[in-house]
């Protein structure tokens, strides 16, 4: 199932983390083929949200997977990488 990996170096409120995870899921959706979107939908949109291990975060950010960068209007500095969307179909 897809995993949305949270940046372990950022302190986000629960609401901010949920918003960033939502953005990551949307970015993953846009990157999927129609067939992969249908398969994800038919499976009931399984999804996990987890903090990344610090040692894994750099690899995730440079992996080419969908990456959310915050605009900086609230509690996170502008341009901060917040979540990586790791959907198996995008690997």
């Amino acid at each position: 199932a897809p995993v949305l990996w949270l940046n372990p170096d950022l302190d986000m409120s629960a609401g901010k983390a949920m918003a960033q995870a939502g953005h990551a899921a949307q970015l993953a959706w846009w990157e999927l083929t129609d067939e992969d979107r249908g398969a994800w939908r038919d499976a009931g949109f399984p999804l996990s949200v987890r903090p990344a291990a610090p040692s894994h975060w750099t690899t995730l950010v440079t992996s080419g997977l969908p990456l959310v960068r915050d605009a900086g209007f609230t509690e996170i500095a502008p341009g901060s990488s917040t979540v990586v969307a790791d959907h198996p179909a995008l690997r």
Side-chain angles (χ1 to χ4, degrees):
V3 178
L4 304 179
W5 295 104
L6 300 171
N7 183 335
D9 298 322
L10 293 179
D11 186 24
M12 293 185 277
S13 66
K16 182 66 171 180
M18 286 187 287
Q20 297 299 293
H23 292 311
Q26 184 177 24
L27 290 175
W29 177 263
W30 287 341
E31 297 267 337
L32 294 172
T33 65
D34 288 341
E35 181 179 337
D36 290 328
R37 287 178 186 165
W40 193 15
R41 181 185 56 244
D42 293 346
F45 296 108
L47 181 67
S48 296
V49 179
R50 298 185 183 132
S55 60
H56 190 216
W57 181 248
T58 301
T59 301
L60 287 166
V61 169
T62 60
S63 68
L65 292 167
L67 172 66
V68 178
R69 292 188 188 272
D70 196 75
F73 295 119
T74 59
E75 62 193 67
I76 304 296
S80 296
S81 299
T82 58
V83 183
V84 172
D86 188 357
H87 191 292
L90 297 177
R91 289 205 164 260

